[in-house]
């Protein structure tokens, strides 16, 4: 349930393709701001004109279905490609700018990319790694891109007349690859637009909104940018997250809504220049990368009037299918702190059920794999029939997440299947241990992983970021107050900061590789 001041002020247009979103807004409010970039506004008419140019250039060469990659941090050009590539009937392949050259080369090869848009600083290490990539048609973002785009002969107000079907692929978005090679999830016009319909139910958008977006556009969270545009709002686009820049944007532009990971919120509140008035204009902050610590929620609510909204989703869902609303967070703060462990309730746009390893339904309170049936599900994995068959069975997406429902219909995530630790034949949920670890006053952040053990198969290992020193015995005693012996970490590892992936989540595969090789 949402408060009256959160309701969208108008009905979104009926769109069957992603580029229809900007096409519509440019027609009804050409001077309306679509993007704020480095303090300067870009209106919908300008964005639409550039999208038309991108589409015209791409339509003049190659064939429909060609894969077009972009390797860049956030920029207006990236946004143009988000809409312009699908408008030309091509498929965008957003590449994670944090990846190593070998990883990027694999994704380019696997998806069969024929053209690459890239920042020069990110491109050069890739070319040094693989000389063959020099043969690929590459356009450098910046002056070269602008000249390429603006050379298109454009007439009229619409994109090139390319046959577009709602089920045509628009993006191939690679997963994190935490179990083997990363897989390319195929997202379509239909799945993306269905994801926007879901998001709008829990995070309504007003045309007057100014939405701050610091996550990378090469992540599925970019659907939040499209959501703002669907309702004609303005996106304040950050190149990447910086606490000081975020506070300045809130002060100078009167930001109304934001997406931040809990770690980002903590960095804002801890910033030496932070003042509660900085967030005076902010109505809601959406998060989804990790659970919200109760102490952080209490601090935010005590100092500001900001509402919080958590979502549960993934790349294969083109967005989110369950939300813990602003009202839920208020209830958690004042009556039921256990709600913060939940990801909320499923939306009416998605069916969610739990199944055991044999595919049988799970009773209330019993853990099982989360299965989703929704229009926003991906079409499959690019050139990976086996992985597609495993993920999409009988119309249900098998998420790989383990969870349960409580008596009120709230969904709780226990762990990722791949993050479950199997030690001595016991299944151990890393999230449960992490929640216990965070209760210790010395622990700023933590990640629990399984590391190879010759006797037990895996040993429970805690990777800690500490506020102040705490010995292994002290930490062990703390855990034993709340956990069985077999769940208590056997190894205590210290680190300056936990590595994060593109979604702002702790990169556990990297930690496993790092500490397994050091053991």
């Amino acid at each position: 349930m949402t408060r009256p001041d959160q309701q969208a002020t108008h009905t979104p247009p009926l769109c069957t393709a992603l580029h229809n979103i900007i096409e519509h807004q440019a027609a009804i409010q050409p001077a309306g701001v679509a993007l704020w970039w480095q303090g300067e506004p870009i209106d919908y008419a300008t964005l639409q004109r550039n999208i038309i140019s991108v589409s015209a250039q791409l339509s003049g060469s190659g064939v429909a279905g060609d894969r077009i990659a972009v390797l860049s941090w956030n920029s207006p050009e990236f946004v143009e490609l988000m809409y312009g590539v699908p408008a030309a009937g091509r498929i965008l392949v957003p590449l994670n700018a944090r990846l190593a050259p070998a990883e990027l080369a694999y994704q380019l090869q696997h998806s069969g990319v024929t053209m690459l848009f890239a920042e020069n600083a990110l491109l050069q290490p890739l070319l040094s790694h693989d000389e063959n990539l020099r043969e690929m048609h590459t356009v450098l973002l910046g002056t070269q891109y602008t000249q390429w785009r603006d050379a298109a002969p454009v007439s009229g107000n619409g994109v090139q007349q390319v046959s577009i079907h709602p089920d045509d692929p628009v993006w191939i978005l690679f997963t994190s690859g935490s179990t083997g090679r990363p897989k390319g999830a195929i997202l379509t016009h239909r799945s993306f637009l269905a994801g926007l319909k879901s998001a709008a139910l829990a995070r309504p958008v007003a045309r007057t909104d100014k939405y701050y977006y610091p996550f990378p556009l090469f992540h599925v969270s970019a659907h939040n940018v499209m959501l703002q545009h669907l309702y004609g709002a303005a996106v304040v686009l950050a190149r990447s997250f910086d606490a000081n820049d975020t506070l300045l944007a809130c002060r100078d532009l009167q930001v109304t809504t934001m997406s931040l990971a809990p770690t980002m919120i903590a960095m804002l509140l801890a910033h030496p220049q932070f003042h509660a008035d900085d967030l005076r204009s902010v109505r809601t902050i959406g998060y989804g990368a990790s659970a919200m610590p109760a102490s952080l929620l209490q601090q935010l609510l005590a100092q500001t009037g900001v509402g919080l909204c958590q979502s549960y989703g993934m790349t294969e869902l083109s967005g989110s299918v369950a939300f813990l609303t602003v009202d839920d967070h208020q209830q958690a703060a004042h009556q039921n702190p256990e709600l913060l462990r939940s990801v909320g309730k499923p939306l009416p746009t998605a069916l969610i059920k739990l199944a055991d390893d044999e595919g049988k339904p799970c009773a209330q309170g019993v853990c099982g794999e989360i299965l989703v049936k929704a229009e926003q599900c991906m079409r499959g994995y690019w050139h990976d029939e086996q992985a597609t068959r495993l993920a999409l069975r009988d119309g249900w997406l098998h998420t790989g997440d383990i969870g349960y429902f409580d008596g009120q219909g709230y969904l709780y995530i226990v762990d990722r299947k791949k993050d479950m630790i199997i030690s001595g034949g016991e299944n151990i949920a890393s999230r449960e241990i992490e929640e216990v670890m965070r209760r210790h006053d010395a622990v700023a952040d933590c990640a629990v992983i399984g590391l190879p053990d010759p006797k037990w198969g895996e040993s429970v290992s805690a990777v800690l970021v500490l506020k102040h020193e705490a010995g292994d015995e002290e930490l062990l005693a703390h855990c034993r107050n709340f956990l069985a012996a077999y769940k208590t970490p056997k190894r205590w590892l210290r680190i300056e900061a936990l590595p994060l992936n593109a979604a702002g989540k702790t990169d556990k595969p990297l930690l496993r590789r790092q500490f397994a090789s050091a053991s």
Side-chain angles (χ1 to χ4, degrees):
M1 183 177 179
T2 53
R3 302 195 307 262
D5 66 336
Q6 292 176 284
Q7 298 298 324
T9 57
H10 63 291
T11 302
L14 293 175
C15 300
T16 58
L18 289 187
H19 61 272
N20 295 156
I21 294 172
I22 307 301
E23 203 170 57
H24 174 82
Q25 296 300 337
I28 64 171
Q29 54 157 345
V33 177
L35 290 173
W36 283 94
W37 174 248
Q38 298 179 344
E40 296 297 324
I42 300 172
D43 60 39
Y44 275 103
T46 300
L47 181 57
Q48 169 67 355
R49 183 169 61 250
N50 291 343
I51 290 169
I52 293 172
S53 297
V54 168
S55 174
Q57 283 287 47
L58 293 175
S59 299
S61 61
V63 296
D66 277 353
R67 275 73 66 202
I68 312 294
V70 55
L71 178 60
S72 171
W73 300 108
N74 291 355
S75 67
E77 292 83 2
F78 201 135
V79 176
E80 293 170 12
L81 293 166
M82 282 169 50
Y83 294 106
V85 171
R90 276 54 172 174
I91 306 171
L92 187 68
V93 183
L95 298 171
N96 185 340
R98 297 190 178 104
L99 295 182
E103 295 171 301
L104 293 169
Y106 167 77
Q107 294 184 11
L108 288 166
Q109 180 182 19
H110 180 70
S111 55
V113 165
T114 58
M115 187 175 184
L116 172 64
F117 294 90
E119 292 183 20
N120 191 48
L122 296 171
L123 177 65
Q124 292 309 313
L126 181 59
L127 297 181
S128 298
H129 168 78
D130 189 342
E131 289 287 334
N132 294 326
L133 293 175
R134 295 185 183 276
E135 303 300 318
M136 181 178 293
H137 184 191
T138 302
V139 175
L140 292 179
L141 294 174
T143 303
Q144 189 182 78
Y145 168 83
T146 302
Q147 293 172 345
W148 170 87
R149 180 196 65 199
D150 294 347
V154 177
S155 60
N157 297 318
V159 298
Q160 297 291 303
Q161 294 303 309
V162 178
S163 177
I164 300 288
H165 189 276
D167 291 319
D168 287 343
V170 290
W171 283 25
I172 295 173
L173 201 53
F174 280 88
T175 61
S176 60
S178 47
T179 53
R181 289 282 199 178
K183 300 182 289 290
I186 305 170
L187 307 182
T188 66
H189 290 282
R190 187 188 304 277
S191 73
F192 256 130
L193 291 168
L196 301 188
K197 179 181 178 182
S198 293
L201 293 175
R203 294 191 67 187
V205 179
R207 183 177 292 174
T208 54
D209 274 339
K210 292 178 182 176
Y211 166 75
Y212 188 81
Y213 182 79
F215 287 103
L217 290 168
F218 53 71
H219 184 262
V220 71
S221 61
H223 81 277
N224 286 292
V225 171
M226 301 176 191
L227 174 64
Q228 308 305 310
H229 288 160
L230 183 66
Y231 284 88
V235 174
V236 182
L237 185 65
R239 182 165 171 81
S240 59
F241 176 75
D242 178 86
N244 189 64
D245 290 347
T246 303
L247 291 175
L248 286 175
C250 290
R251 294 170 193 155
D252 296 345
L253 296 176
Q254 298 297 293
V255 166
T256 60
T257 56
M258 313 168 74
S259 286
L260 298 174
T263 52
M264 297 175 180
I265 297 174
M267 291 169 70
L268 286 187
L269 298 182
H271 193 277
Q273 302 301 317
F274 173 76
H275 190 278
D277 281 350
D278 295 336
L279 302 182
R280 181 174 50 192
S281 63
V282 179
R283 184 173 75 246
T284 56
I285 296 176
Y287 69 97
S290 59
M292 175 66 63
S295 58
L296 183 59
L297 172 63
Q298 296 288 358
Q299 183 183 0
L300 186 70
L301 294 181
Q303 296 185 36
T304 75
V306 174
L308 287 170
C309 182
Q310 182 188 183
S311 64
Y312 167 69
M314 58 184 55
T315 300
E316 290 88 341
L317 287 170
S318 314
S320 299
V321 291
F323 283 83
L324 193 70
T325 66
V326 171
D327 290 341
D328 290 331
H329 281 83
Q330 290 286 342
Q331 184 180 343
H334 302 294
Q335 301 166 2
N336 184 12
E338 283 297 301
L339 263 186
L340 287 183
R341 295 176 50 241
S342 168
V343 294
K345 293 182 178 181
L347 295 168
T349 49
L351 296 176
I352 298 180
K353 68 177 182 179
L354 306 179
D356 62 20
D357 289 340
E358 297 179 355
K360 297 177 182 177
C362 297
Q364 175 192 311
V366 176
C367 291
E369 184 179 4
I370 298 171
L371 276 56
V372 180
K373 180 181 286 188
E375 200 174 27
Q376 65 193 79
C377 288
M378 68 170 182
R379 200 168 90 171
Y381 294 113
W382 183 261
H383 287 182
D384 196 334
E385 293 182 7
Q386 181 180 5
T388 299
R389 284 195 301 271
L390 289 173
L392 296 171
R393 284 175 266 166
D394 299 322
W396 293 88
L397 173 70
H398 291 242
T399 67
D401 284 334
I402 305 298
Y404 67 91
F405 282 108
D406 69 9
Q408 286 71 50
Y410 287 93
L411 178 63
Y412 291 76
I413 309 298
V414 174
D415 217 341
R416 287 289 293 165
K417 260 189 173 182
K418 59 179 176 284
D419 288 337
M420 294 289 286
I421 301 166
I422 304 175
S423 183
E426 295 281 0
N427 289 338
I428 302 169
S430 61
R431 281 175 61 124
E432 178 187 9
I433 304 167
E434 289 164 356
E435 289 174 7
V436 168
M437 291 303 311
R438 290 191 179 101
R439 297 179 199 173
H440 193 288
D441 61 10
V443 176
D445 206 351
C446 66
V448 173
I449 57 175
L451 293 176
D453 186 279
K455 182 177 181 180
W456 303 109
E458 287 185 304
S459 65
V460 181
S461 306
V463 184
L464 304 169
V465 178
L466 296 179
K467 301 174 188 174
H468 54 79
E469 186 52 45
D472 292 1
E473 291 302 320
E474 179 184 346
L475 296 166
L476 177 67
H478 168 78
C479 284
R480 289 297 286 117
N481 286 330
F482 304 98
L483 297 169
Y486 74 90
K487 295 181 181 179
T488 300
K490 306 300 186 289
R491 297 179 61 184
W492 306 91
L493 306 161
R494 275 75 170 178
I495 196 170
E496 288 295 320
L498 295 177
L500 303 179
N501 62 21
K505 299 179 182 179
T506 301
D507 194 338
K508 288 189 176 181
L510 178 60
L511 288 175
R512 284 191 284 264
R513 292 194 300 270
Q514 177 181 337
F515 288 107
S517 61
S519 58

